[in-house]
Amino acid sequence: MSAECSSYLSADKVLVSGFSCPRPGGDARAVFCCGFQDVKYCCDDPHSFFPYEHSYMWWLSVGALVGLSIAAVVLFAFIITVCVLCYLFISTKPRSKLDTGLSLQMA
């Protein structure tokens, strides 16, 4: 079993000629054409070809980092708020017990 990787323009706009998988001297299990439209290679997973440019995945990564950063800031603000509220609750409690108006005496 073998696959044909068609020729493509790399990210540097250089024409890379097509090739067959597996490549001579490469892994014999790498029989599928994998990668992106501008970066292709042989691999053993039939579902690893993505019809996008490689830079598309970079923007997904940047978006994920921005989203995670915002979530981390929100979580940090929540934790700080909880700590401040707990401190205020503990520090504003009366030091002595309140007089309930009932005096308990032992019989």
Side-chain angles (χ1 to χ4, degrees):
M1 179 177 198
S2 67
E4 292 290 325
C5 286
S6 60
S7 59
Y8 61 95
L9 279 176
S10 70
D12 300 326
K13 304 299 181 208
V14 175
L15 180 66
V16 178
S17 60
F19 53 90
S20 296
C21 295
R23 287 189 154 185
D27 188 1
R29 296 173 295 166
V31 295
F32 299 102
C33 185
C34 299
F36 300 91
Q37 285 180 344
D38 56 351
V39 178
K40 294 182 182 179
Y41 55 92
C42 297
C43 71
D44 60 354
D45 184 7
H47 304 292
S48 290
F49 182 76
F50 305 101
Y52 314 108
E53 291 184 0
H54 187 257
S55 62
Y56 172 77
M57 297 304 285
W58 168 252
W59 284 110
L60 283 179
S61 298
V62 169
L65 286 175
V66 168
L68 288 174
S69 298
I70 291 171
V73 168
V74 169
L75 179 64
F76 183 70
F78 176 76
I79 290 172
I80 294 297
T81 302
V82 168
C83 290
V84 168
L85 290 175
C86 286
Y87 173 76
L88 290 174
F89 178 76
I90 291 171
S91 66
T92 58
K93 285 177 82 172
R95 300 284 182 225
S96 62
K97 293 186 177 187
L98 293 175
D99 183 17
T100 61
L102 300 174
S103 60
L104 300 175
Q105 297 177 1
M106 294 184 61

